[in-house]
Each structure stands twice: as structure tokens, then as C-alpha cells.
Amino acid sequence: MTEAVFRADPPDARRCVVLADGVTVVYHRPSGLTHILAPPAPEVLAAMSEGDADTGTLIARLERDHDLSGTDDLRGTLTARLVELETAGLVWRP
């Protein structure tokens, strides 16, 4: 079974402001909506800026840029965040 591939708008389509405790406010210019994201959703969205990706590709990008040691069920956690970002309209399946 092939993994789903996700796509996000380019970084200039959103304005991100990091608040306390890693909470990030994201203004999505194409939709005009503002979203409040908690880690690791902002990091996943940033990793998507490199282009379309399935969960395996995203895990490799995130492991390159962040210490993910000790993270339980990384694939499951990432899949859940992608579904949340998809529901919010920040990523989609091409």
C-alpha cells in the first residue's frame, strides 16, 4: 500500500509568529484564516516547505532538523498531525 503524499502552500503563503511554550499562530493568506498550532505541528508545516512528502520523507526531514530520540510511535504521531493540518486546510493530498 502506498503512503499518502501531502502538499502545503509555500512559506510565503503564511505568516507564523511563535508565542510562549512553542505555540505558534499561523495566518494563512490564501484562506484568510488564523490557526493556533502546538508542537510538533509547526515543525511539520515547516518541513513541508521543502515540497510534497509522505510520512517517511517527513520523518527523515524532521529527524535531520530535530532530536526525535525517545519519541514513541513517531509515524502515528506524524500521521495524526498531518490529518489535523489537512482538516485545518494547511496541507492537502494532491
Side-chain angles (χ1 to χ4, degrees), residues 9 13-15 26-35 88-90 92:
D9 288 315
R14 57 188 178 269
R15 169 87 164 100
V26 178
Y27 174 68
H28 185 239
R29 289 182 174 101
S31 68
L33 297 175
T34 300
H35 305 274
L90 295 172
W92 65 92

Side-chain angles (χ1 to χ4, degrees), residues 4-24:
V5 173
F6 292 87
R7 175 177 290 167
D9 288 315
D12 63 351
R14 57 188 178 269
R15 169 87 164 100
C16 300
V17 177
V18 179
L19 304 176
D21 299 323
V23 172
T24 301

Side-chain angles (χ1 to χ4, degrees), residues 4-11 14 40 42-68 74-75 78 82 85 91-92:
V5 173
F6 292 87
R7 175 177 290 167
D9 288 315
R14 57 188 178 269
E43 292 79 7
V44 172
L45 195 56
M48 291 295 305
S49 68
E50 293 182 38
D52 296 1
D54 59 18
T55 53
T57 301
L58 280 173
I59 287 171
R61 290 177 188 171
L62 291 165
E63 285 178 329
R64 178 193 67 211
D65 298 334
H66 305 281
D67 178 16
L68 301 180
L74 187 55
R75 189 169 294 274
L78 179 57
L82 285 167
L85 289 169
V91 302
W92 65 92

